[in-house]
């Protein structure tokens, strides 16, 4: 099966860049630059800045992987179903 146009790859690249931008914003901007502010709040008895930097980002990365998997699967289904017709 040959793909006539590369709209699938453009959409997939856009999805990847969007998720990487969100990852960068949460990891570097929120967690590092706002660490002192986040330490004013507690999450399960732990300062929120510490939680975000050490454990919360792991959950966030798993969430990003899950979102990418769902969106890429939906994109593949739409694109390859359309090209087979």
């Amino acid at each position: 099966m040959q793909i006539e146009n590369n709209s699938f790859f453009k959409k997939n690249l856009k999805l990847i860049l969007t998720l990487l931008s969100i990852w960068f914003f949460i990891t570097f901007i929120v967690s590092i630059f706002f660490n002192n502010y986040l330490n004013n709040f507690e999450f399960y008895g732990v300062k929120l800045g510490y939680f975000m930097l050490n454990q919360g980002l792991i959950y966030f990365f798993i969430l990003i992987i899950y979102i990418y998997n769902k969106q890429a699967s939906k994109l593949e289904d739409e694109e390859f179903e359309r090209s087979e017709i």
Side-chain angles (χ1 to χ4, degrees):
M1 176 174 52
Q2 183 179 5
I3 300 175
E4 300 283 328
N5 58 12
N6 55 2
S7 66
F8 168 74
F9 298 106
K10 288 181 182 178
K11 290 177 184 177
N12 194 24
L13 183 61
K14 182 180 176 184
L15 174 63
I16 291 170
L17 292 176
T18 302
L19 291 175
L20 282 176
S21 300
I22 293 170
W23 168 81
F24 178 82
F25 179 77
I26 296 295
T27 301
F28 292 104
I29 306 301
V30 174
S31 295
I32 293 175
F33 293 131
F34 294 114
N35 187 28
N36 290 333
Y37 176 73
L38 290 173
N39 280 334
N40 294 326
F41 306 102
E42 288 191 4
F43 184 72
Y44 290 116
V46 178
K47 292 186 177 187
L48 188 60
Y50 173 80
F51 181 80
M52 285 290 292
L53 284 173
N54 293 301
Q55 295 176 0
L57 291 177
I58 295 170
Y59 299 130
F60 183 71
F61 295 148
I62 292 171
L63 178 65
I64 285 180
I65 292 169
Y66 176 78
I67 292 170
Y68 175 75
N69 185 24
K70 287 294 184 184
Q71 294 296 322
S73 295
K74 185 169 47 169
L75 183 62
E76 287 175 359
D77 290 343
E78 290 173 0
E79 192 66 32
F80 293 117
E81 181 179 296
R82 187 178 329 135
S83 64
E84 290 176 3
I85 295 177

